[in-house]
Each structure stands twice: as structure tokens, then as C-alpha cells.
């Protein structure tokens, strides 16, 4: 008795599958993304990712997450390091590259006073971090895409807050030997 029930069940499944395959063959497949307009597709194909990421002024929403790798990735839920802190100043503010994973920002907020105390200086100068959503930068770095790396300048922070112009114009010292 159980054998005949199994045979009937197997035949039912086979017929159902055959019918599904036959009807699926007649249904046309949707385009790759039916919600995208052809104009959006043209724009995305013509605009490099570095331009798209650098246009974003604010981070994406969601739980903080570094996605991908330092040189091929992006950042979700990044936060901004304040441009001026008690023991740090961000340089090149116009680039909007003072964003990072919350753990990086918290690290810098803890590290800067320790570095100031250890060196007897006022604080540290922060160079590039990441853009608000990470991603490829339009110039300057291949990395810095996931909000986990930072440039700390080997230059003492002055005893005053630098002007916006000074933050753009002062250059970091070159630490590479001339014969390299």
C-alpha cells in the first residue's frame, strides 16, 4: 500500500514539475533590472564610480560596516571626525575626507591626546581618511575606501587653530629619502 502511495506521489511531482517547466518556457524573462530607466543606465555607464562616490556629502544609513577591501570597497554608516578637536586638526577639509568607521574615529579621539602627551606637542594633524560613503577617491589614494585607514602627518600641530586657507595650503613633509 505504501509503495503505491509513493509511486502516485512521485508521478504527481513529476507531472507538476513538467507542467511548471513547460509554462515557464513560455513566460518571457524580465529585463536585468526593470526598475532602472535607460537614462539611469546610460548615466551609470558614463560616470566613473570615483565621481559618483565623491558627489555624496553624507554617509549612507545603516549599521557601520566596512565593505570590501581597502582599495576596492565602500563604507556604510560612517561617521565624521570633527574638523577640530582638542588635540587634532583635519587638513584638506574641502576634500570631505574626514569620515571613517566609528571604530577608526574613536581610535583617533583616544590616540590624539596620547600622541600629544608623548611628544610634548599640542596635537596631531589628520590627513585623508575616507569620503562619507567610502569608495574610490577621485585623486590621491587607491586605498581609503572602507573607512579604516588614516593619514597622520609627521608634522607638529601648531599652538593655534589653523585657518581654512592654511589647512588647504600647508603641505605634509615628504618622508621619502631623495635617493629612493
Amino acid at each position: 500500500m505504501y509503495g503505491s502511495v509513493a509511486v502516485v506521489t512521485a508521478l504527481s511531482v513529476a507531472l507538476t514539475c513538467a507542467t511548471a517547466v513547460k509554462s515557464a518556457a513560455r513566460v518571457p524573462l524580465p529585463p536585468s533590472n526593470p526598475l532602472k530607466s535607460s537614462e539611469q543606465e546610460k548615466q551609470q555607464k558614463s560616470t566613473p564610480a570615483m565621481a559618483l562616490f565623491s558627489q555624496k556629502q553624507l554617509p549612507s544609513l545603516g549599521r557601520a560596516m566596512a565593505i570590501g577591501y581597502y582599495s576596492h570597497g565602500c563604507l556604510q554608516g560612517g561617521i565624521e571626525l570633527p574638523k577640530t578637536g582638542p588635540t587634532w586638526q583635519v587638513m584638506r577639509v574641502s576634500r570631505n575626507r574626514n569620515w571613517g568607521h566609528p571604530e577608526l574615529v574613536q581610535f583617533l579621539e583616544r590616540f590624539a591626546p596620547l600622541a600629544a602627551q608623548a611628544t610634548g606637542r599640542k596635537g596631531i594633524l589628520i590627513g585623508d581618511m575616507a569620503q562619507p560613503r567610502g569608495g574610490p577617491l577621485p585623486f590621491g589614494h587607491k586605498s581609503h575606501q572602507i573607512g579604516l585607514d588614516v593619514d597622520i602627518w609627521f608634522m607638529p600641530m601648531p599652538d593655534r587653530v589653523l585657518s581654512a586657507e592654511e589647512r588647504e595650503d600647508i603641505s605634509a613633509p615628504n618622508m621619502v629619502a631623495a635617493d629612493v
Side-chain angles (χ1 to χ4, degrees):
M1 170 154 173
Y2 290 114
S4 60
V5 170
V7 170
V8 169
T9 302
L11 285 174
S12 297
V13 169
L15 288 173
T16 303
C17 290
T19 304
V21 168
K22 196 185 269 189
S23 65
R26 284 183 259 155
V27 176
L29 295 173
S32 61
N33 187 344
L35 300 177
K36 251 188 206 175
S37 70
S38 60
E39 189 60 37
Q40 285 173 323
E41 288 175 349
K42 285 179 193 173
Q43 182 185 6
Q44 283 187 341
K45 288 179 183 174
S46 64
T47 307
M50 63 181 58
L52 294 171
F53 275 96
S54 66
Q55 291 169 359
K56 301 298 181 187
Q57 297 299 305
L58 297 172
S60 61
L61 298 176
R63 182 175 62 87
M65 186 179 342
I67 302 167
Y69 190 68
Y70 294 91
S71 62
H72 283 80
C74 61
L75 173 63
Q76 174 181 294
I79 62 172
E80 183 177 23
L81 176 70
K83 294 166 184 65
T84 303
T87 52
W88 75 84
Q89 292 183 51
V90 173
M91 304 301 284
R92 309 292 188 266
V93 175
S94 65
R95 295 180 182 179
N96 198 25
R97 295 182 186 177
N98 57 312
W99 296 81
H101 190 283
E103 290 187 29
L104 174 64
V105 172
Q106 290 167 3
F107 167 79
L108 290 170
E109 289 171 341
R110 288 188 319 268
F111 173 76
L114 296 174
Q117 182 181 19
T119 61
R121 306 285 180 152
K122 175 87 171 136
I124 60 174
L125 299 176
I126 305 289
D128 286 337
M129 292 171 56
Q131 301 172 123
R133 298 182 185 193
L137 305 174
F139 61 90
H141 289 284
K142 182 75 174 164
S143 65
H144 291 269
Q145 294 190 23
I146 58 174
L148 294 178
D149 49 340
V150 58
D151 294 340
I152 298 174
W153 287 20
F154 289 110
M155 179 177 174
M157 185 175 93
D159 291 340
R160 62 183 171 75
V161 175
L162 295 169
S163 70
E165 186 176 293
E166 288 174 311
R167 290 184 191 216
E168 297 298 325
D169 293 341
I170 294 174
S171 295
N174 185 353
M175 302 302 288
V176 179
D179 62 343
V180 175

